[in-house]
Amino acid sequence: MDPETVPPCDSATHWPETWFLRSAAVLLILTALAKGFSALGSNTILEKPDPVFWVLKNRELLVLVGVVEMAVAGLLLSSMPVKVRRGGLLWLCANFLLYRAGLWMTGSAPSCKCMGDLAGQLGLSDAQASWIMLGILGYLFGGSLFFLWRSRSARVLDALTERSRGGPGLRAH
């Protein structure tokens, strides 16, 4: 491929995804801080085992997931290649979806205590907090899938353009 046709990582063609990844990092930092704040609380549910990861108490799981969210947020704000950052976010979103599926399969309440005590202090019910967190998950997962699809489509288009110019795709083997 001609070096002039390969845009730099954060060129004008990548600014929407760069903006999306930065917004995702901000959301992850906020949710991680909410989990950390909740883990410091005194709610009795924090000492009960998590319904999916029964070997961990809810408090321990909140701290663990908060740390993972901070790590992924750091990755999203790093100078790693866009596909690595996108992959990290997709991995985290897939884990959140699997956790929600685990809640459903165990017959636990469908509401996720992702925001812990903070939701109550903001005047939100468990159901409202769960819908907000599900909306954030939808934004993160949907955005990641959209930009993955867009990057794959751009590569296919580039390959077709190269073939139409008599590139490697049209040579006889």
Side-chain angles (χ1 to χ4, degrees):
M1 185 174 249
D2 182 17
E4 293 178 1
T5 62
V6 179
C9 183
D10 285 327
S11 71
T13 59
H14 290 284
W15 75 264
E17 185 167 12
T18 300
W19 182 89
F20 166 73
L21 292 173
R22 287 179 183 158
S23 69
V26 169
L27 287 171
L28 290 176
I29 289 168
L30 291 174
T31 57
L33 290 174
K35 286 175 179 65
F37 176 77
S38 296
L40 296 174
S42 59
N43 195 329
T44 57
I45 195 167
L46 293 171
E47 297 307 319
K48 294 182 180 177
D50 180 76
V52 177
F53 297 104
W54 61 91
V55 296
L56 296 174
K57 294 178 183 175
N58 286 313
R59 181 185 316 273
E60 297 164 341
L61 188 62
L62 281 174
V63 170
L64 179 64
V65 173
V67 168
V68 170
E69 285 177 334
M70 283 291 202
V72 172
L75 174 69
L76 297 178
L77 296 172
S78 75
S79 60
M80 294 292 287
V82 171
K83 65 182 179 180
V84 172
R85 293 184 281 160
R86 185 188 318 120
L89 185 57
L90 278 168
W91 170 82
L92 183 64
C93 290
N95 280 287
F96 286 152
L97 288 171
L98 287 171
Y99 180 77
R100 285 199 175 247
L103 286 175
W104 176 74
M105 290 186 336
T106 60
S108 299
S111 63
C112 173
K113 296 284 188 185
C114 310
M115 291 176 64
D117 293 340
L118 186 62
Q121 291 181 357
L122 294 174
L124 299 171
S125 69
D126 285 347
Q128 290 169 323
S130 186
W131 278 108
I132 290 169
M133 297 309 286
L134 195 57
I136 290 172
L137 178 57
Y139 171 75
L140 299 176
F141 194 57
S144 297
L145 289 175
F146 170 76
F147 286 111
L148 175 65
W149 169 79
R150 187 174 146 203
S151 71
R152 304 252 177 192
S153 298
R155 274 186 267 168
V156 168
L157 185 58
D158 288 345
L160 290 173
T161 303
E162 188 174 321
R163 287 181 190 153
S164 70
R165 292 181 187 157
L170 295 179
R171 291 184 191 157
H173 294 284

